[in-house]
Amino acid sequence: MTTNNAAQGKTLPARPAGRQGLIKPLRTLLDTSGLIAIFLLLFVALAVFIPGFLTGRNMVGLLLSITLIGSLATTMMLVLALGEVDLSVASTVAFAGVVAAVVTSTSGSVFIGVMGGVLAGGAVGVFNGLVIAKFGINSLIATLAAMEFVRGLAYITSGGDAVMITVPGFFDLGSASFLGLTLPVWTMLACFVIFGVVLNMTAFGRNVLATGGNSEAAALAGVNVQRLKVIVFGLQGVVAGVVGVLLASRMGLGDPNTSMGLELAVISACVLGGVALSGGVATITGVLVGVLIMGCVQNAMGLLNVPTFYQYLVRGAILLLAVMFDRWKQNRRQRA
């Protein structure tokens, strides 16, 4: 149920009343608390049974290792909350990194190169949003197609090979640190703060959840659903562009082969964090915990020298369990 603020043209959820109004927030709190408890148990178990896990150096490394998934998960959360999905984020990250490397090396300007990479990512996101919103194409199909042609654009832009960066100042983006944490970590933390505020404290965030819950009802209540989708996918593209630039800086080159399969890890972290694949349900705290769980498992496998092909099995199992968990929660909501 929503109320329409005609003066401002914004749709705001009506304030729930009585005992029934407390059910949904309470259920969300219990889901998030249970997820936090699972993470804490996992963290303690890893600290006890895996040598070197709890060292300061490994904790800093753990934070750095989740920067890609964590940053992208903050906007993938909004995409999934809309009831959509974006499979092109990994290709967009690679494309943005290649564009940044080529533009930086050609112009000699780090600023121009960074802006080129971020704008390239944003352009892909806006294109995805327009195709999905204006033409009504299923987001799974639209972004699957985008995944292929954007990866192709990355290969074409790079000439089929990695592009070495010739401007030394570009490397500082990935290595610059403040209070012991590098810029990619601070970027991830900033994404969680910014999009947490957007989701929880703005009409935009409430409209995203309302649209994901029932797009027709949201449209009737005054939400411009098409524009909302374009903006959300555009934000996803911009964040993917930022991640691509930082990754290229860390690697010292723009590689069209990078980030293969990253989109599945990002979606897994979001679903594990309680974001409903059907849309309408998302919490920034849950996404953060989901990212941390994924990162801890990956870090533990690295410390134990688990072969790469077994790591694929574990990541696939996590994705399957996350989807099954999401389905169980949907069934529980329908029975409530």
Side-chain angles (χ1 to χ4, degrees):
M1 180 177 178
T2 58
T3 58
N4 188 28
N5 187 333
Q8 299 181 4
K10 296 180 180 179
T11 301
L12 302 177
R15 181 174 296 177
R19 182 179 301 176
Q20 293 298 322
L22 296 175
I23 293 177
K24 185 175 180 180
L26 182 59
R27 184 185 297 129
T28 301
L29 177 62
L30 290 175
D31 288 343
T32 304
S33 300
L35 188 63
I36 293 174
I38 292 173
F39 166 67
L40 292 176
L41 289 174
L42 174 65
F43 189 87
V44 170
L46 295 178
V48 171
F49 295 108
I50 298 182
F53 177 79
L54 204 55
T55 62
R57 181 178 180 181
N58 188 61
M59 289 297 99
V60 173
L62 173 60
L63 282 176
L64 186 60
S65 70
I66 63 174
T67 53
L68 270 69
I69 296 176
S71 299
L72 292 170
T74 58
T75 42
M76 184 65 79
M77 169 190 68
L78 298 178
V79 172
L80 294 175
L82 270 178
E84 308 290 350
V85 68
D86 187 356
L87 297 179
S88 67
V89 287
S91 297
T92 305
V93 167
F95 178 54
V98 167
V99 170
V102 170
V103 173
T104 299
S105 298
T106 302
S107 66
S109 170
V110 174
F111 176 76
I112 295 176
V114 169
M115 291 305 298
V118 174
L119 289 175
V124 172
V126 170
F127 176 79
N128 285 337
L130 288 172
V131 169
I132 293 164
K134 298 296 183 181
F135 295 97
I137 298 177
N138 183 280
S139 60
L140 178 67
I141 302 301
T143 58
L144 183 62
M147 178 179 72
E148 295 295 332
F149 73 71
V150 172
R151 183 72 67 173
L153 286 176
Y155 283 113
I156 292 170
T157 305
S158 67
D161 201 359
V163 179
M164 302 301 297
I165 300 170
T166 59
V167 181
F170 190 85
F171 305 141
D172 294 337
L173 296 174
S175 60
S177 63
F178 177 69
L179 298 178
L181 300 177
T182 59
L183 182 58
V185 176
W186 285 112
T187 300
M188 178 188 69
L189 296 176
C191 284
F192 272 103
V193 172
I194 292 171
F195 292 108
V197 171
V198 167
L199 180 68
N200 296 312
M201 301 183 182
T202 67
F204 179 84
R206 292 191 289 272
N207 287 341
V208 167
L209 294 174
T211 301
N214 190 325
S215 61
E216 293 182 359
L220 290 173
V223 178
N224 190 328
V225 174
Q226 290 189 354
R227 184 175 64 185
L228 190 68
K229 289 183 178 181
V230 173
I231 293 174
V232 169
F233 276 93
L235 290 172
Q236 175 79 91
V238 168
V239 172
V242 172
V243 169
V245 170
L246 292 175
L247 181 60
S249 176
R250 289 167 58 187
M251 296 171 60
L253 49 83
D255 187 0
N257 293 301
T258 193
S259 305
M260 294 286 189
L262 179 62
E263 66 281 343
L264 297 181
V266 174
I267 293 172
S268 298
C270 288
V271 176
L272 191 62
V275 181
L277 288 173
S278 57
V281 178
T283 64
I284 193 67
T285 304
V287 171
L288 174 60
V289 176
V291 169
L292 289 173
I293 290 175
M294 292 284 293
C296 286
V297 171
Q298 186 68 40
N299 181 266
M301 289 191 295
L303 291 174
L304 293 174
N305 295 317
V306 176
T308 303
F309 39 89
Y310 286 113
Q311 294 186 26
Y312 280 114
L313 289 176
V314 173
R315 288 197 293 267
I318 290 176
L319 176 58
L320 179 61
L321 290 173
V323 172
M324 292 173 64
F325 183 56
D326 175 70
R327 183 61 182 173
W328 173 77
K329 288 194 297 182
Q330 288 183 43
N331 291 335
R332 192 180 65 172
R333 292 190 196 102
Q334 292 172 0
R335 291 194 300 266

